[in-house]
Structure formats: structure tokens, C-alpha cells
């Protein structure tokens, strides 16, 4: 009887760990839309100000490869 209890507890523990892994792998919702990456801030800001690609609010964030444009 103790062996069955130990096996059941082990299976339950494995299931709990797997469920926690799936829950933590869910993507974090973003509140901005990524538009693109630009080599210079000026190019990023120009598209941010453009009515075609920009929005009422936009932001250029510096990254390793240049600047990323996000709109709200």
C-alpha cells in the first residue's frame, strides 16, 4: 500500500511541475505594436511621425542593432 501511495505522489509531483512549466512559458502580453528596426534614431522617428506607419503615440527604443519603433 505504501508503494502505491509513493508512486501516486510521484506522478502528482511530476504533473504539478509540468503544469507550472507550461504556465510560465505563456507569453507576456505586449501593449505595443512592433513596427520595425532602423539604423538611426532619425529614421525611426521619421516613421514614428508618419501617419502611415506611426500612431498617435510612438516610441523609438535603442537596441544593439539600431532602433526599434513601437506604436501604442
Amino acid at each position: 500500500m505504501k508503494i502505491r501511495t509513493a508512486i501516486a505522489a510521484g506522478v502528482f509531483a511530476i504533473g504539478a511541475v509540468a503544469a507550472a512549466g507550461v504556465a510560465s512559458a505563456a507569453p507576456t502580453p505586449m501593449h505595443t505594436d512592433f513596427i520595425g528596426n532602423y539604423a538611426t534614431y532619425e529614421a525611426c522617428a521619421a516613421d514614428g511621425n508618419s501617419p502611415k506607419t506611426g500612431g498617435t503615440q510612438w516610441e523609438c527604443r535603442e537596441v544593439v542593432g539600431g532602433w526599434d519603433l513601437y506604436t501604442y
Side-chain angles (χ1 to χ4, degrees), residues 38-49 58-62 66-68:
Y38 301 86
T40 64
Y41 176 81
E42 290 76 18
C44 180
D47 269 2
N49 284 321
W58 55 271
E59 176 183 14
C60 291
R61 297 180 191 165
E62 188 172 14
W67 295 85
D68 285 350

Side-chain angles (χ1 to χ4, degrees), residues 1 6-10 15-16 21 23 40 56-58 66:
M1 195 62 127
I7 292 173
T40 64
T56 55
Q57 295 180 343
W58 55 271

Side-chain angles (χ1 to χ4, degrees), residues 29-54:
M30 292 186 63
H31 299 290
T32 61
D33 291 321
F34 174 75
I35 302 299
N37 183 272
Y38 301 86
T40 64
Y41 176 81
E42 290 76 18
C44 180
D47 269 2
N49 284 321
S50 169
K52 186 174 182 180
T53 55

